[in-house]
Amino acid sequence: MRKYTYDYLIVGSGLFGSTFAQIMNGNGKKCLVIDKRGHTGGNIYTKEENDIKIHWYGAHIFHTDNEEVWHYINKFTKFNNYINSPLAYSEGKLYNLPFNMNTFNKLWNVNTPEEAKHKIQEQCSKYKDISQPANLEEQALKLCGDDIYYTFIKEYTEKQWGRPANQLPASIIKRIPFRLTYNNNYFNDPYQGIPKDGYTALTNNLLKDIHVQTYTNYFDNIPYFQSIAEKILFTGCIDEYFEYKFGRLDYRSLKFKHIYLDTDNYQGNAVINYNEAKYPFTRIIEHKHFEFGKQPSTIITKEYPQKYTPSDEPYYPINDEKNLKCFNKYKALAEKNSHVIFGGRLGQYAYFDMDDTIASAISLTQKELSI
């Protein structure tokens, strides 16, 4: 007689949970996926309005150099050939990102890679005596000098993290990539694009033939959910699962303001960053440009970083020494509990790109199936 109704209860229908559920279901494991939101897909959810697919929780551009991940995800969606080429707005001018020859030409009026290289070296030279940067500001200045730091990095970073740059750990900026070519492709990965039918269709395809319950919060009935499955995959906040036994982990949150405009083209690009502190938002997204849209109207989203409170959605883990020490206590506790496994950015307290999320979920399924 079967002791449990399900082999796996999967808490959270984001990309990690959906990938895990799809693979385990394909291997004969009975899964139930629950999500407290009213939709599947987690933060990659896209909502279609006015024939435009809105990235409801911020821009998501799929990119990878992992052939296994690319082959896997293409079973469930087809990608367009969108190339991410964001812009940065500062003091009335638009600059290309990542930092490349187009950026340097506009910033310094240099034309050749040699001129740009010389200018970068000249800018960095005044900080050559900083051997061990004590904070993000010192690290960035040592890597790029004054012009790039003060034009593009300082105020944007302070908005994003809600702290002065000289109070942020140097580890946030390990390196600053400079490209001495006139190439505006933000990613170096060979595979890149947006799902042609949107991310919601992708997660729906992953969850096909799997029992899914939305508007269902695990914490509303913990004893029941623990009783119906042999194992739980939990993709929510690991500290919440353990009732904040060692204290709360810190995050940054985001607020999104979606605006419908009666114009066919608002900014001419999918993503424009606003680097200056006088703008409370970090970027404006115009969704139709992800899909080369020709609709007569448009929809933009302004993205506002904000302090995280328990009533907000956590987006970015703050991986400083204090939080990592706290997380490691939760991780050790989790490893003693054979009934639950943790995955995803909240369960693992890490910010993953989408391809890393899928790769991690695939790896976990392989581990579970080998037991």
Side-chain angles (χ1 to χ4, degrees):
M1 183 176 177
R2 186 185 179 96
K3 183 180 177 182
Y4 297 103
T5 307
Y6 299 96
D7 294 300
Y8 289 90
L9 168 70
I10 296 148
V11 182
S13 66
L15 192 54
F16 192 101
S18 297
T19 300
F20 181 90
Q22 188 281 320
I23 295 173
M24 299 309 283
N25 180 68
N27 281 274
K29 302 296 183 180
K30 191 174 182 183
C31 300
L32 168 65
V33 178
I34 64 172
D35 201 297
K36 65 183 179 181
R37 290 174 173 171
H39 59 74
T40 61
N43 291 340
I44 66 169
Y45 168 70
T46 46
K47 181 179 181 180
E48 187 161 335
E49 293 186 10
N50 298 354
D51 197 33
I52 297 170
K53 296 179 186 70
I54 308 166
H55 293 218
W56 202 251
Y57 303 101
H60 287 85
I61 299 116
F62 192 89
H63 60 97
T64 188
D65 62 355
N66 187 322
E67 290 193 14
E68 180 188 13
V69 167
W70 183 247
H71 177 72
Y72 172 79
I73 205 65
N74 271 272
K75 296 176 185 176
F76 305 98
T77 190
K78 296 299 177 188
F79 288 86
N80 67 16
N81 62 339
Y82 175 81
I83 298 297
N84 188 31
S85 303
L87 298 168
Y89 181 86
S90 182
E91 296 184 352
K93 295 180 180 180
L94 286 167
Y95 298 89
N96 291 101
L97 297 176
F99 304 133
N100 64 34
M101 286 304 302
N102 287 309
T103 322
F104 307 140
N105 173 266
K106 199 160 195 177
L107 186 64
W108 296 321
N109 197 31
V110 297
N111 296 316
T112 68
E114 195 59 39
E115 288 175 308
K117 194 185 302 182
H118 176 76
K119 191 70 177 177
I120 294 166
Q121 290 170 347
E122 178 188 279
Q123 292 263 312
C124 294
S125 63
K126 40 191 297 199
Y127 300 102
K128 63 184 179 182
D129 292 335
I130 301 176
S131 57
Q132 293 293 328
N135 52 60
L136 183 147
E137 181 160 286
E138 288 188 2
Q139 173 81 328
L141 287 168
K142 182 177 175 65
L143 290 170
C144 68
D146 288 336
D147 289 349
I148 290 173
Y149 174 68
Y150 287 108
T151 303
F152 300 109
I153 296 173
K154 177 179 167 62
E155 293 179 31
Y156 185 93
T157 302
E158 291 178 344
K159 280 194 292 186
Q160 186 76 6
W161 293 102
R163 299 187 204 173
N166 60 12
Q167 294 179 21
L168 289 165
S171 59
I172 290 178
I173 293 184
K174 293 183 173 65
R175 64 187 185 90
I176 296 174
F178 297 123
R179 294 188 189 168
L180 299 177
T181 63
Y182 289 90
N183 178 3
N184 298 322
N185 185 350
Y186 194 80
F187 301 117
N188 286 318
D189 295 329
Y191 308 114
Q192 182 176 169
I194 304 287
K196 289 183 177 180
D197 296 324
Y199 286 104
T200 296
L202 164 60
T203 50
N204 287 343
N205 289 338
L206 286 166
L207 295 170
K208 185 181 178 184
D209 303 323
I210 297 170
H211 189 190
V212 178
Q213 292 176 197
T214 54
Y215 295 111
T216 304
N217 192 332
Y218 171 81
F219 294 103
D220 288 344
N221 200 343
I222 295 173
Y224 167 73
F225 286 121
Q226 289 185 337
S227 72
I228 63 172
E230 184 175 354
K231 271 194 172 182
I232 296 171
L233 167 64
F234 190 81
T235 67
C237 295
I238 190 170
D239 56 339
E240 184 179 16
Y241 182 89
F242 289 114
E243 299 178 308
Y244 309 108
K245 179 182 178 71
F246 304 117
R248 290 181 180 272
L249 294 169
D250 294 324
Y251 296 88
R252 284 292 282 171
S253 191
L254 296 169
K255 180 177 69 175
F256 302 98
K257 184 176 181 182
H258 307 295
I259 303 168
Y260 303 79
L261 299 173
D262 188 21
T263 180
D264 65 341
N265 192 351
Y266 174 74
Q267 64 184 20
N269 204 56
V271 180
I272 297 182
N273 290 355
Y274 282 74
N275 295 63
E276 296 161 282
K278 66 181 180 181
Y279 299 100
F281 48 87
T282 50
R283 58 183 179 174
I284 296 179
I285 302 159
E286 187 167 12
H287 302 272
K288 66 189 298 180
H289 294 306
F290 288 127
E291 302 176 280
F292 319 107
K294 304 295 184 185
Q295 300 89 341
S297 61
T298 195
I299 300 168
I300 65 169
T301 298
K302 293 183 177 180
E303 189 171 304
Y304 298 82
Q306 60 182 23
K307 183 179 179 180
Y308 169 71
T309 69
S311 61
D312 297 316
E313 179 69 22
Y315 285 92
Y316 300 106
I318 299 177
N319 296 119
D320 58 16
E321 186 177 350
K322 173 181 79 78
N323 281 288
L324 288 175
K325 186 176 180 180
C326 181
F327 168 69
N328 284 330
K329 291 180 181 179
Y330 286 118
K331 185 179 178 183
L333 192 59
E335 288 168 354
K336 297 176 183 177
N337 191 332
S338 60
H339 184 57
V340 62
I341 46 180
F342 293 87
R345 62 188 178 88
L346 303 181
Q348 294 172 270
Y349 198 64
Y351 186 78
F352 293 129
D353 285 334
M354 286 182 283
D355 62 330
D356 294 327
T357 299
I358 295 168
S360 181
I362 291 172
S363 178
L364 181 58
T365 62
Q366 292 169 344
K367 181 180 178 181
E368 287 296 302
L369 291 168
S370 68
I371 295 174

